[in-house]
Amino acid sequence: MRATLLPVSVHIVVFGIRCEGLAVLLLPRAEMWSLPGGGVEDAEDIHGAALRQLAVQTGLRDVYMEQLYTFDHLDADTVQRTVAVTWYALVPSASSFTKTAAGEWFAVEALPALPAEQAGIVHLARQRLAAKLEYSTIALQLMPERFTLGVLQAVHETVLGTALDKRNFRKRVLAWACIEETGEMAREGHHRPARLYRVTRPGSVEIIK
Amino acid sequence: MRATLLPVSVHIVVFGIRCEGLAVLLLPRAEMWSLPGGGVEDAEDIHGAALRQLAVQTGLRDVYMEQLYTFDHLDADTVQRTVAVTWYALVPSASSFTKTAAGEWFAVEALPALPAEQAGIVHLARQRLAAKLEYSTIALQLMPERFTLGVLQAVHETVLGTALDKRNFRKRVLAWACIEETGEMAREGHHRPARLYRVTRPGSVEIIK
DNA sequence: GTTTGTTAGTGTACCTGAAACACTAACAGG
DNA sequence: CCTGTTAGTGTTTCAGGTACACTAACAAAC
């Protein structure tokens, strides 16, 4: 007996910080904006396919990426059904990454019309990200190489959609073992300079909290 | 351009309570025990495929089921690669469900040798289940229609692998809105009878805790 | 019928971690 | 030197979780 074969695709919700807000990277396609992604080939596994599509379509490499959920009937409006493995990725803010070759960043609160179910995928990804903020150090994946605690707090507030107490926030993140002072100061703006921190083990997300 | 087609399969980790312990349902296959599951057909979506395989292979219907993760290279030992969408299901204990036509229950601590990566899938499913116990009412999906708080506590302890304080446990679960007294008593054993409870909305899992 | 063994059922004190809260410091620009 | 703006710092309060011991009800054995 021959196994049934199906088209399998990957779709990636790429999050970044733009203009002080959480943003999603979309590509122009078929008269509509759409999530990066595409079909999985024979020679690659689904994780590799997602990384490849990201690199080819957006130029992004070495970003943090996690699997989100696997949907079916994603392309219900087309004749062909597709098994869609979805992922979300986080790119550092203010880095060269945010100036990608193709695609455009949209504030997560103001997305354009998307193909079937993609809006739901973005929503789910955002929920997952917000949940992880509460019990992990995942927000550091959205940070540039050097960052101030003020910016880190702003990112948290942006993703969670709520204001946080400065002192309580600093207490919490300074207890994390995975960030450390650089010794340098951010000298910008007409105000007191802020200490610059960096991540000790980039790419690793600790579950501690 | 023609889309690449791939074999897609579903695999289900079926949890139940047997002999006072957490157990997994396995099927005899190719000289090895194996998780229920199989290929996804054209006419069904992946969720439907998982339900169908469960029904056909084990006789289980109307069980609680959640998607776990999607793997690739699952059948790396075979020539053909497969995209494997994995799920976990919970069946009520002491119900007729636990006497399934085919398959056998194995204590989760003492599983036989399994095909490539399936042991890892079971482990992941168990982690997920344990995590959900802490912030949801999911354990009720493992309960028979009427149950005592003593048994509910035993199920929690079984899954978590730790002992729980009786008074604190009762305080917590009695605050759940989704269980209620039946008014009946469990008259079994040489000891004081216990009150029997039931779920108010079977099948629903509340995130409240 | 009294004793024994076993599980059911109940309330309070303590402790830890989260939340609330206001002022001084350092810089640039006017 | 005054103003505006962000950086940086401790303590008190509150709530939720944890620890903890006895009485109640039944069946079986004696």
Side-chain angles (χ1 to χ4, degrees), chain A residues 33-53:
Chain A
W33 292 95
S34 166
L35 293 176
V40 178
E41 306 292 333
D42 273 320
E44 60 190 358
D45 63 15
I46 50 175
H47 186 253
L51 292 178
R52 175 180 62 82
Q53 302 277 12

PDB file of all heavy atoms in Angstrom, chain A residues 33-53:
ATOM      1  N   TRP A  33      -0.651  41.152   1.381  1.00  0.00           N
ATOM      2  CA  TRP A  33       0.504  40.904   2.243  1.00  0.00           C
ATOM      3  C   TRP A  33       0.342  39.523   2.845  1.00  0.00           C
ATOM      4  O   TRP A  33      -0.778  39.075   3.094  1.00  0.00           O
ATOM      5  CB  TRP A  33       0.603  41.970   3.323  1.00  0.00           C
ATOM      6  CG  TRP A  33       0.940  43.313   2.765  1.00  0.00           C
ATOM      7  CD1 TRP A  33       0.064  44.297   2.429  1.00  0.00           C
ATOM      8  CD2 TRP A  33       2.236  43.812   2.446  1.00  0.00           C
ATOM      9  NE1 TRP A  33       0.726  45.382   1.927  1.00  0.00           N
ATOM     10  CE2 TRP A  33       2.076  45.115   1.919  1.00  0.00           C
ATOM     11  CE3 TRP A  33       3.535  43.300   2.553  1.00  0.00           C
ATOM     12  CZ2 TRP A  33       3.138  45.900   1.518  1.00  0.00           C
ATOM     13  CZ3 TRP A  33       4.601  44.088   2.152  1.00  0.00           C
ATOM     14  CH2 TRP A  33       4.399  45.372   1.632  1.00  0.00           C
ATOM     15  N   SER A  34       1.468  38.900   3.120  1.00  0.00           N
ATOM     16  CA  SER A  34       1.397  37.507   3.556  1.00  0.00           C
ATOM     17  C   SER A  34       2.587  37.164   4.435  1.00  0.00           C
ATOM     18  O   SER A  34       3.645  37.795   4.346  1.00  0.00           O
ATOM     19  CB  SER A  34       1.352  36.623   2.317  1.00  0.00           C
ATOM     20  OG  SER A  34       1.593  35.290   2.640  1.00  0.00           O
ATOM     21  N   LEU A  35       2.449  36.150   5.282  1.00  0.00           N
ATOM     22  CA  LEU A  35       3.560  35.694   6.115  1.00  0.00           C
ATOM     23  C   LEU A  35       4.645  35.068   5.245  1.00  0.00           C
ATOM     24  O   LEU A  35       4.335  34.424   4.240  1.00  0.00           O
ATOM     25  CB  LEU A  35       3.084  34.646   7.119  1.00  0.00           C
ATOM     26  CG  LEU A  35       2.128  35.110   8.211  1.00  0.00           C
ATOM     27  CD1 LEU A  35       1.675  33.926   9.056  1.00  0.00           C
ATOM     28  CD2 LEU A  35       2.789  36.164   9.086  1.00  0.00           C
ATOM     29  N   PRO A  36       5.890  35.224   5.616  1.00  0.00           N
ATOM     30  CA  PRO A  36       6.949  34.488   4.925  1.00  0.00           C
ATOM     31  C   PRO A  36       6.681  32.996   5.057  1.00  0.00           C
ATOM     32  O   PRO A  36       6.092  32.551   6.040  1.00  0.00           O
ATOM     33  CB  PRO A  36       8.222  34.873   5.697  1.00  0.00           C
ATOM     34  CG  PRO A  36       7.877  36.107   6.443  1.00  0.00           C
ATOM     35  CD  PRO A  36       6.404  36.076   6.697  1.00  0.00           C
ATOM     36  N   GLY A  37       7.148  32.231   4.089  1.00  0.00           N
ATOM     37  CA  GLY A  37       6.947  30.785   4.144  1.00  0.00           C
ATOM     38  C   GLY A  37       6.711  30.218   2.772  1.00  0.00           C
ATOM     39  O   GLY A  37       6.726  30.930   1.780  1.00  0.00           O
ATOM     40  N   GLY A  38       6.533  28.907   2.721  1.00  0.00           N
ATOM     41  CA  GLY A  38       6.307  28.246   1.457  1.00  0.00           C
ATOM     42  C   GLY A  38       6.378  26.746   1.623  1.00  0.00           C
ATOM     43  O   GLY A  38       6.418  26.237   2.737  1.00  0.00           O
ATOM     44  N   GLY A  39       6.413  26.045   0.505  1.00  0.00           N
ATOM     45  CA  GLY A  39       6.364  24.583   0.533  1.00  0.00           C
ATOM     46  C   GLY A  39       7.639  23.956   1.065  1.00  0.00           C
ATOM     47  O   GLY A  39       8.728  24.501   0.921  1.00  0.00           O
ATOM     48  N   VAL A  40       7.470  22.805   1.697  1.00  0.00           N
ATOM     49  CA  VAL A  40       8.603  22.024   2.188  1.00  0.00           C
ATOM     50  C   VAL A  40       9.045  21.072   1.084  1.00  0.00           C
ATOM     51  O   VAL A  40       8.217  20.384   0.495  1.00  0.00           O
ATOM     52  CB  VAL A  40       8.212  21.232   3.452  1.00  0.00           C
ATOM     53  CG1 VAL A  40       9.384  20.375   3.944  1.00  0.00           C
ATOM     54  CG2 VAL A  40       7.730  22.180   4.542  1.00  0.00           C
ATOM     55  N   GLU A  41      10.374  21.042   0.823  1.00  0.00           N
ATOM     56  CA  GLU A  41      10.889  20.192  -0.244  1.00  0.00           C
ATOM     57  C   GLU A  41      11.295  18.818   0.293  1.00  0.00           C
ATOM     58  O   GLU A  41      11.385  18.615   1.504  1.00  0.00           O
ATOM     59  CB  GLU A  41      12.113  20.865  -0.883  1.00  0.00           C
ATOM     60  CG  GLU A  41      11.869  22.276  -1.374  1.00  0.00           C
ATOM     61  CD  GLU A  41      10.927  22.302  -2.578  1.00  0.00           C
ATOM     62  OE1 GLU A  41      10.891  21.305  -3.311  1.00  0.00           O
ATOM     63  OE2 GLU A  41      10.222  23.315  -2.756  1.00  0.00           O
ATOM     64  N   ASP A  42      11.609  17.932  -0.607  1.00  0.00           N
ATOM     65  CA  ASP A  42      11.993  16.574  -0.226  1.00  0.00           C
ATOM     66  C   ASP A  42      13.282  16.522   0.588  1.00  0.00           C
ATOM     67  O   ASP A  42      13.422  15.735   1.504  1.00  0.00           O
ATOM     68  CB  ASP A  42      12.189  15.721  -1.490  1.00  0.00           C
ATOM     69  CG  ASP A  42      10.871  15.112  -1.942  1.00  0.00           C
ATOM     70  OD1 ASP A  42      10.113  14.687  -1.058  1.00  0.00           O
ATOM     71  OD2 ASP A  42      10.627  15.067  -3.151  1.00  0.00           O
ATOM     72  N   ALA A  43      14.212  17.383   0.215  1.00  0.00           N
ATOM     73  CA  ALA A  43      15.556  17.242   0.765  1.00  0.00           C
ATOM     74  C   ALA A  43      15.740  17.920   2.122  1.00  0.00           C
ATOM     75  O   ALA A  43      16.831  17.905   2.680  1.00  0.00           O
ATOM     76  CB  ALA A  43      16.573  17.804  -0.225  1.00  0.00           C
ATOM     77  N   GLU A  44      14.690  18.519   2.661  1.00  0.00           N
ATOM     78  CA  GLU A  44      14.854  19.281   3.893  1.00  0.00           C
ATOM     79  C   GLU A  44      13.798  18.850   4.900  1.00  0.00           C
ATOM     80  O   GLU A  44      12.726  18.377   4.530  1.00  0.00           O
ATOM     81  CB  GLU A  44      14.701  20.776   3.607  1.00  0.00           C
ATOM     82  CG  GLU A  44      13.322  21.125   3.028  1.00  0.00           C
ATOM     83  CD  GLU A  44      13.231  22.546   2.514  1.00  0.00           C
ATOM     84  OE1 GLU A  44      14.207  23.285   2.629  1.00  0.00           O
ATOM     85  OE2 GLU A  44      12.157  22.901   1.989  1.00  0.00           O
ATOM     86  N   ASP A  45      14.095  19.027   6.187  1.00  0.00           N
ATOM     87  CA  ASP A  45      13.053  18.779   7.173  1.00  0.00           C
ATOM     88  C   ASP A  45      12.301  20.086   7.411  1.00  0.00           C
ATOM     89  O   ASP A  45      12.674  21.146   6.897  1.00  0.00           O
ATOM     90  CB  ASP A  45      13.627  18.194   8.464  1.00  0.00           C
ATOM     91  CG  ASP A  45      14.591  19.133   9.155  1.00  0.00           C
ATOM     92  OD1 ASP A  45      14.615  20.322   8.804  1.00  0.00           O
ATOM     93  OD2 ASP A  45      15.325  18.688  10.039  1.00  0.00           O
ATOM     94  N   ILE A  46      11.228  20.008   8.177  1.00  0.00           N
ATOM     95  CA  ILE A  46      10.377  21.193   8.286  1.00  0.00           C
ATOM     96  C   ILE A  46      11.095  22.364   8.951  1.00  0.00           C
ATOM     97  O   ILE A  46      10.898  23.518   8.576  1.00  0.00           O
ATOM     98  CB  ILE A  46       9.068  20.880   9.044  1.00  0.00           C
ATOM     99  CG1 ILE A  46       9.344  20.165  10.358  1.00  0.00           C
ATOM    100  CG2 ILE A  46       8.131  20.055   8.179  1.00  0.00           C
ATOM    101  CD1 ILE A  46       8.106  19.942  11.204  1.00  0.00           C
ATOM    102  N   HIS A  47      11.942  22.057   9.909  1.00  0.00           N
ATOM    103  CA  HIS A  47      12.682  23.133  10.570  1.00  0.00           C
ATOM    104  C   HIS A  47      13.648  23.794   9.574  1.00  0.00           C
ATOM    105  O   HIS A  47      13.711  25.018   9.469  1.00  0.00           O
ATOM    106  CB  HIS A  47      13.449  22.569  11.771  1.00  0.00           C
ATOM    107  CG  HIS A  47      14.128  23.601  12.591  1.00  0.00           C
ATOM    108  ND1 HIS A  47      15.498  23.782  12.585  1.00  0.00           N
ATOM    109  CD2 HIS A  47      13.635  24.531  13.438  1.00  0.00           C
ATOM    110  CE1 HIS A  47      15.815  24.770  13.403  1.00  0.00           C
ATOM    111  NE2 HIS A  47      14.701  25.248  13.937  1.00  0.00           N
ATOM    112  N   GLY A  48      14.340  22.955   8.833  1.00  0.00           N
ATOM    113  CA  GLY A  48      15.246  23.480   7.819  1.00  0.00           C
ATOM    114  C   GLY A  48      14.499  24.282   6.767  1.00  0.00           C
ATOM    115  O   GLY A  48      14.983  25.312   6.285  1.00  0.00           O
ATOM    116  N   ALA A  49      13.315  23.812   6.409  1.00  0.00           N
ATOM    117  CA  ALA A  49      12.517  24.518   5.412  1.00  0.00           C
ATOM    118  C   ALA A  49      12.157  25.911   5.906  1.00  0.00           C
ATOM    119  O   ALA A  49      12.246  26.893   5.172  1.00  0.00           O
ATOM    120  CB  ALA A  49      11.254  23.719   5.094  1.00  0.00           C
ATOM    121  N   ALA A  50      11.783  26.003   7.171  1.00  0.00           N
ATOM    122  CA  ALA A  50      11.411  27.306   7.721  1.00  0.00           C
ATOM    123  C   ALA A  50      12.613  28.248   7.715  1.00  0.00           C
ATOM    124  O   ALA A  50      12.505  29.417   7.330  1.00  0.00           O
ATOM    125  CB  ALA A  50      10.859  27.139   9.132  1.00  0.00           C
ATOM    126  N   LEU A  51      13.768  27.726   8.104  1.00  0.00           N
ATOM    127  CA  LEU A  51      14.971  28.558   8.105  1.00  0.00           C
ATOM    128  C   LEU A  51      15.330  28.998   6.686  1.00  0.00           C
ATOM    129  O   LEU A  51      15.721  30.142   6.459  1.00  0.00           O
ATOM    130  CB  LEU A  51      16.141  27.788   8.728  1.00  0.00           C
ATOM    131  CG  LEU A  51      16.017  27.498  10.218  1.00  0.00           C
ATOM    132  CD1 LEU A  51      17.217  26.679  10.713  1.00  0.00           C
ATOM    133  CD2 LEU A  51      15.912  28.806  11.010  1.00  0.00           C
ATOM    134  N   ARG A  52      15.208  28.072   5.747  1.00  0.00           N
ATOM    135  CA  ARG A  52      15.539  28.402   4.361  1.00  0.00           C
ATOM    136  C   ARG A  52      14.608  29.478   3.820  1.00  0.00           C
ATOM    137  O   ARG A  52      15.045  30.465   3.225  1.00  0.00           O
ATOM    138  CB  ARG A  52      15.438  27.150   3.485  1.00  0.00           C
ATOM    139  CG  ARG A  52      15.661  27.429   1.994  1.00  0.00           C
ATOM    140  CD  ARG A  52      15.567  26.175   1.163  1.00  0.00           C
ATOM    141  NE  ARG A  52      14.257  25.539   1.215  1.00  0.00           N
ATOM    142  CZ  ARG A  52      13.204  25.889   0.485  1.00  0.00           C
ATOM    143  NH1 ARG A  52      13.298  26.917  -0.342  1.00  0.00           N
ATOM    144  NH2 ARG A  52      12.061  25.259   0.599  1.00  0.00           N
ATOM    145  N   GLN A  53      13.314  29.290   4.023  1.00  0.00           N
ATOM    146  CA  GLN A  53      12.356  30.269   3.507  1.00  0.00           C
ATOM    147  C   GLN A  53      12.626  31.635   4.115  1.00  0.00           C
ATOM    148  O   GLN A  53      12.553  32.665   3.434  1.00  0.00           O
ATOM    149  CB  GLN A  53      10.918  29.849   3.845  1.00  0.00           C
ATOM    150  CG  GLN A  53      10.528  28.478   3.318  1.00  0.00           C
ATOM    151  CD  GLN A  53      10.079  28.498   1.859  1.00  0.00           C
ATOM    152  OE1 GLN A  53      10.254  29.496   1.171  1.00  0.00           O
ATOM    153  NE2 GLN A  53       9.509  27.390   1.421  1.00  0.00           N
TER     154      GLN A  53
END
